[in-house]
Amino acid sequence: MKTIIIQPERCVGCMQCRFNCAVAHSKAKNILSIFETPLSKPRIHIALSSEKEPFPNKCRHCNPAPCENACITKAIYRDEATDAALINPDRCINCGMCAMACPFGVVRYHTYLHGRLAAHKCDQCILRIKEGEKPACVEACKVGALFFDDINKFMKEREGQRVANLVYLGIREKQEPKGNSYEALKKYEKDLLVLRRR
């Protein structure tokens, strides 16, 4: 199954993913959504690391999903066609169990159109996917921090190559040390950062 994959080292913190997500889940489906009540909220969040690096954070649609297992009203369920963990806001009683169970801190609460406060998280743009489109955040991301692909294919092709490059870089540093160990370590960290941004 395809899912939204995050490469956090590529994120520049532009927030376009958040804007497009909110627009895609609005009634108007365009910029005029900023005048809607209630205002459409994004389902992806940008957090900052301790190094002040941006990190796109969204639901991983775990299987089994801790939020789904914690939901006593079964408001969180799995869509069989896409394998996405979805929320039925009409069944949500706003107990907060799903938010406490989520290991990634991505379940928030939002007032929906009918005035109910309910759990709110990424739905992988299920309606867009069914129409053959990419998720809104993926479409908005111009630096490749977010993309939509099969996770097994990604791990086999892209991630395998990235790990091989990192291992090679580490071997090369060990064989060709330049300067003292502190300078070699700093160069290694700089090379790693450049490689991650590719």
Side-chain angles (χ1 to χ4, degrees), residues 1-193:
M1 292 281 183
K2 285 189 170 185
T3 188
I4 299 168
I5 300 170
I6 300 171
Q7 292 192 109
E9 67 275 9
R10 292 179 175 237
C11 182
V12 295
C14 69
M15 304 289 186
Q16 288 301 304
C17 56
R18 287 177 52 80
F19 177 77
N20 267 31
C21 179
V23 168
H25 290 90
S26 68
K27 285 189 292 184
K29 308 283 188 224
N30 60 40
I31 190 73
L32 295 177
S33 64
I34 60 172
F35 300 111
E36 290 179 5
T37 302
L39 188 62
S40 180
K41 297 281 185 180
R43 296 158 189 245
I44 185 168
H45 313 283
I46 305 296
L48 290 178
S49 72
S50 58
E51 307 296 322
K52 304 298 183 213
E53 292 287 333
F55 175 78
N57 195 17
K58 57 163 284 304
C59 178
R60 292 358 180 244
H61 300 275
C62 311
N63 193 359
C67 62
E68 182 182 4
N69 292 334
C71 184
I72 58 174
T73 63
K74 302 299 178 198
I76 300 176
Y77 64 97
R78 189 160 300 279
D79 179 69
E80 290 181 18
T82 61
D83 204 36
L86 305 176
I87 296 173
N88 177 351
D90 294 323
R91 294 195 70 153
C92 180
I93 60 171
N94 194 18
C95 68
M97 294 301 294
C98 56
M100 288 186 276
C102 177
F104 303 105
V106 294
V107 180
R108 309 290 167 90
Y109 287 84
H110 173 57
T111 303
Y112 285 82
L113 294 175
H114 51 295
R116 279 182 59 109
L117 185 68
H120 182 73
K121 69 172 195 63
C122 171
D123 62 358
Q124 291 227 101
C125 286
I126 193 165
L127 297 177
R128 289 175 59 94
I129 290 170
K130 287 180 178 177
E131 293 172 4
E133 298 178 52
K134 290 180 183 177
C137 60
V138 172
E139 190 174 89
C141 186
K142 304 304 181 209
V143 294
L146 301 167
F147 59 97
F148 190 62
D149 203 351
D150 182 278
I151 189 68
N152 292 320
K153 181 181 169 190
F154 168 74
M155 293 303 289
K156 182 179 177 184
E157 296 174 5
R158 295 189 184 193
E159 196 63 7
Q161 182 63 47
R162 190 172 79 88
V163 169
N165 288 340
L166 290 173
V167 168
Y168 172 76
L169 185 61
I171 291 169
R172 190 183 67 196
E173 270 304 317
K174 287 176 185 173
Q175 290 175 345
E176 302 171 17
K178 294 179 182 176
N180 63 35
S181 59
Y182 177 76
E183 289 172 355
L185 179 61
K186 283 299 178 190
K187 182 182 181 320
Y188 176 70
E189 289 175 350
K190 184 178 175 184
D191 288 346
L192 272 179
L193 187 60

